[in-house]
Amino acid sequence: MKKFLLTLAVAVSALTANAQDEGGFYGNKFFDNCFIGVNGGVGAGTTHNAIFKNTNWNAGLRLGKFFSPIFGFGIEGNLYFNNRHGSYVNPQGGNNLSGGNTVHYSNVGFFGMINLMNAVGNYLGEPRKFEIFFVPGFSWGHNFGNNPTPEGTKMNTLNNKLAFDFAYNFGKFQEWQLYLEPSINYCIAGVDHENDDHSNKIVKYNINNSFLQLNLGLVYKFKTSNGAHNFMLVEACDPMELDALNNAVNDLRAKDSANVKTIANLEKEVKDLQDALNECNAKPTVAKVLEPNLPAVFYQVNKAVISPAQQQNVQIAADVLKNHPTYRLQVKGYASPEGPHANNTSLGIRRANAVKDLLTKKYGIAADRIEAEGCGETDQLFETYEFNRCAILFLKK
């Protein structure tokens, strides 16, 4: 048996070292890949026993963590409720302890888990639907009976479990695992109830000091820091691909720097335009005077009546105003210097109003589009003296 266990340990170590040794995994922090589970089943002594007749029921709890997709470690405890002949409560095969306790035996210890599927076939990035684990462990067993027998029933034992878990993973993220675990449990050391001395200890593997057990369990794997409930593979990158990605990142950084400068220049330009617009809005609006060469209207001496010949010049102004509804007209009336000053001032006003009246009454131009202003006497408009008896027309937009 010792040679078998040593050979198995060496083989498992080699598989663990060789399998999936590159790339690494996401989600392998200290508290990642932990699990909790419950189990229950039956067991009976391996030899000198009617197994199906003398089965004993048990139920337990296990907690653990996987350090890689191949290897895990955990603790577990089971309580046993029957006390039939030839069961594990008396690994030596004698009559069992008797008493009124509901729980007759406890078994608490630690175990390792080796995923044989991943060790042989590598981890695929998520658990397989069906997996097989080798589960060795050591535990401390305690017998709660109160009537020792002459055969020397052991009250406290050191047990070694050798088991295989046949597991089925399910759930949206493979977070649940249902497993069936057959095992053989050796009592490799124990102390008699009555004599606590070294002479009564068992320190050996003996099929007669063992029991068989078959348990069904359910495990929940907690969510990991990678957002899943299991390991995720880190794929190794091609160095050339990595260089290409670095170059692309550097190009994007350079473009980003250039874009920042462009945006800054555009923002400055927008600010300058906004300042210029604000400055323009702050200035008073000055009407632009247009000069489309409108003819002046000339009058006879000391007269403010428009002669039929001069009405043609007024009609030209009327046509322009009709064709351009947004235009306005300013009419300035003048008089020549001869005659009294007061009369010349009045004469300039009447001459300007004469043009406005003709435009509104005869040509239908709105009065609010025409501004009439008397400018008094002058001899500076025209070199010909008589031409200063006039009304000058200015279009304004």
Side-chain angles (χ1 to χ4, degrees):
M1 178 60 70
K2 292 181 180 179
K3 293 182 178 180
F4 169 75
L5 293 177
L6 180 61
T7 302
L8 183 61
V10 171
V12 169
S13 299
L15 288 172
T16 304
N18 292 332
Q20 208 69 55
D21 58 353
E22 60 183 28
F25 308 97
Y26 288 118
N28 196 20
K29 295 183 179 179
F30 183 77
F31 290 104
D32 283 345
N33 300 292
C34 294
F35 61 87
I36 185 172
V38 294
N39 58 56
V42 295
T46 305
T47 61
H48 307 294
N49 176 53
I51 293 178
F52 294 104
K53 181 179 178 181
N54 295 303
T55 56
N56 290 265
W57 296 94
N58 75 90
L61 175 72
R62 64 168 48 176
L63 299 170
K65 169 182 171 59
F66 272 94
F67 297 94
S68 75
I70 296 176
F71 178 71
F73 176 84
I75 58 175
E76 65 180 351
N78 287 78
L79 299 176
Y80 302 86
F81 304 102
N82 292 346
N83 190 22
R84 295 177 177 174
H85 176 79
S87 68
Y88 33 78
V89 297
N90 184 1
Q92 290 182 296
N95 294 326
N96 293 278
L97 300 178
S98 62
N101 298 325
T102 301
V103 177
H104 293 276
Y105 190 71
S106 65
N107 198 23
V108 179
F110 62 91
F111 63 93
M113 296 188 71
I114 299 172
N115 190 318
L116 300 179
M117 306 291 285
N118 291 338
V120 174
N122 287 343
Y123 185 58
L124 304 178
E126 63 178 5
R128 295 172 171 85
K129 280 295 182 181
F130 295 94
E131 296 181 314
I132 301 175
F133 296 86
F134 173 56
V135 186
F138 291 90
S139 60
W140 171 70
H142 178 70
N143 203 321
F144 292 94
N146 56 13
N147 185 19
T149 66
E151 288 84 353
T153 299
K154 304 305 176 187
M155 299 302 298
N156 296 288
T157 60
L158 175 63
N159 299 328
N160 177 210
K161 178 177 80 169
L162 300 174
F164 287 93
D165 284 3
F166 298 91
Y168 170 72
N169 297 294
F170 63 98
K172 182 178 180 181
F173 302 101
Q174 305 288 302
E175 69 272 26
W176 292 97
Q177 185 179 88
L178 184 68
Y179 66 91
L180 182 67
E181 180 182 275
S183 65
I184 183 169
N185 299 265
Y186 285 92
C187 171
I188 59 175
V191 178
D192 285 355
H193 176 72
E194 293 181 349
N195 302 306
D196 188 9
D197 59 19
H198 292 279
S199 62
N200 290 303
K201 289 184 178 179
I202 305 171
V203 186
K204 61 181 178 180
Y205 284 90
N206 189 326
I207 194 68
N208 294 316
N209 296 332
S210 67
F211 63 90
L212 300 176
Q213 185 168 288
L214 181 64
N215 275 15
L216 182 66
L218 180 66
V219 164
Y220 175 75
K221 292 172 279 188
F222 294 102
K223 191 173 184 178
T224 66
S225 57
N226 64 17
H229 293 257
N230 299 281
F231 290 96
M232 295 177 63
L233 292 178
V234 178
E235 297 182 0
C237 293
D238 184 352
M240 296 183 62
E241 182 179 356
L242 188 60
D243 291 341
L245 289 175
N246 287 331
N247 293 334
V249 170
N250 292 332
D251 290 342
L252 290 175
R253 286 175 178 171
K255 291 180 180 179
D256 180 66
S257 178
N259 289 337
V260 169
K261 293 180 180 179
T262 301
I263 292 173
N265 293 334
L266 291 174
E267 289 178 345
K268 183 178 183 304
E269 185 176 349
V270 169
K271 184 179 181 301
D272 293 342
L273 292 173
Q274 186 64 48
D275 292 342
L277 179 61
N278 294 337
E279 184 179 353
C280 290
N281 291 335
K283 293 180 179 179
T285 302
V286 178
K288 183 178 180 181
V289 177
L290 303 180
E291 298 179 358
N293 297 323
L294 288 179
V297 178
F298 299 99
Y299 297 89
Q300 294 180 0
V301 64
N302 201 30
K303 299 290 184 182
V305 177
I306 301 175
S307 65
Q310 295 300 312
Q311 287 184 14
Q312 295 181 358
N313 295 342
V314 177
Q315 182 178 356
I316 293 174
D319 292 339
V320 173
L321 292 174
K322 289 179 180 180
N323 293 330
H324 301 278
T326 60
Y327 287 3
R328 297 172 58 84
L329 184 68
Q330 184 179 35
V331 183
K332 294 184 177 183
Y334 296 91
S336 56
E338 71 266 21
H341 175 71
N343 181 63
N344 289 338
T345 300
S346 173
L347 189 59
I349 294 174
R350 288 187 285 120
R351 285 173 174 171
N353 285 332
V355 175
K356 180 176 181 179
D357 291 342
L358 185 59
L359 287 171
T360 57
K361 294 178 180 178
K362 182 174 181 180
Y363 298 105
I365 304 301
D368 59 359
R369 296 179 63 192
I370 305 171
E371 178 185 350
E373 179 185 358
C375 297
E377 56 194 26
T378 181
D379 60 357
Q380 301 300 315
L381 293 176
F382 299 98
E383 293 182 0
T384 301
Y385 183 81
E386 292 81 1
F387 287 175
N388 291 294
R389 307 164 189 158
C390 66
I392 305 298
L393 280 62
F394 298 91
L395 283 173
K396 295 194 300 182
K397 186 176 181 182

